[in-house]
Amino acid sequence: EEMPTRARLDSTEVVAAYLSPRHSGHVAEVFGILALDSKHRLLGEKIVAQGGRYTVGITPAAVFQAVLPFRPRSVIVFHNHPSGDPHPSEEDKALTYRLARAGEVLGIAMVDHIILGARGSFESLKRLGLI
């Protein structure tokens, strides 16, 4: 489905500003994906999984199955930390690695993994050098 105005999500700060009001306030963890075209314009957004207060179960297969209908060139994955602390856990880091490798196999670049915290705080696994 074509979106009326396709936001250009070409920096970590722009992505976080787009996602924070929409997803940082959830009381449980949610994991989602933004599908992007070759110019980093938003093709679509999808919540892939919802979890509990401290975790959400997700697999690379579930993520890429959800995004393939958009036919993206690249993706940004995101999830929230209801605790308010956006620092990535070891599980977050391991998942990021697996997702980036799966995307490579499919020819879909993973641009970033954003973790949303409280009051507009966020962390980018790309800025941490993990992508």
Side-chain angles (χ1 to χ4, degrees), residues 72-89:
R73 294 293 298 268
S74 60
V75 296
I76 297 171
V77 298
F78 65 91
H79 76 281
N80 66 312
H81 279 178
S83 69
D85 179 3
H87 292 90
S89 67

Side-chain angles (χ1 to χ4, degrees), residues 34-106:
L34 302 174
L36 307 174
D37 69 10
S38 61
K39 296 183 179 180
H40 291 252
R41 291 180 302 216
L42 183 63
L43 296 171
E45 175 180 349
K46 183 148 178 116
I47 297 297
V48 180
Q50 295 183 343
R53 177 110 173 106
Y54 302 106
T55 185
V56 61
I58 195 71
T59 64
V63 170
F64 286 99
Q65 284 174 347
V67 80
L68 284 176
F70 296 109
R71 300 177 60 150
R73 294 293 298 268
S74 60
V75 296
I76 297 171
V77 298
F78 65 91
H79 76 281
N80 66 312
H81 279 178
S83 69
D85 179 3
H87 292 90
S89 67
E90 291 305 313
E91 292 84 6
D92 293 336
K93 294 173 185 178
L95 176 61
T96 299
Y97 177 80
R98 291 192 343 259
L99 289 172
R101 299 299 75 80
E104 286 176 8
V105 169
L106 295 171

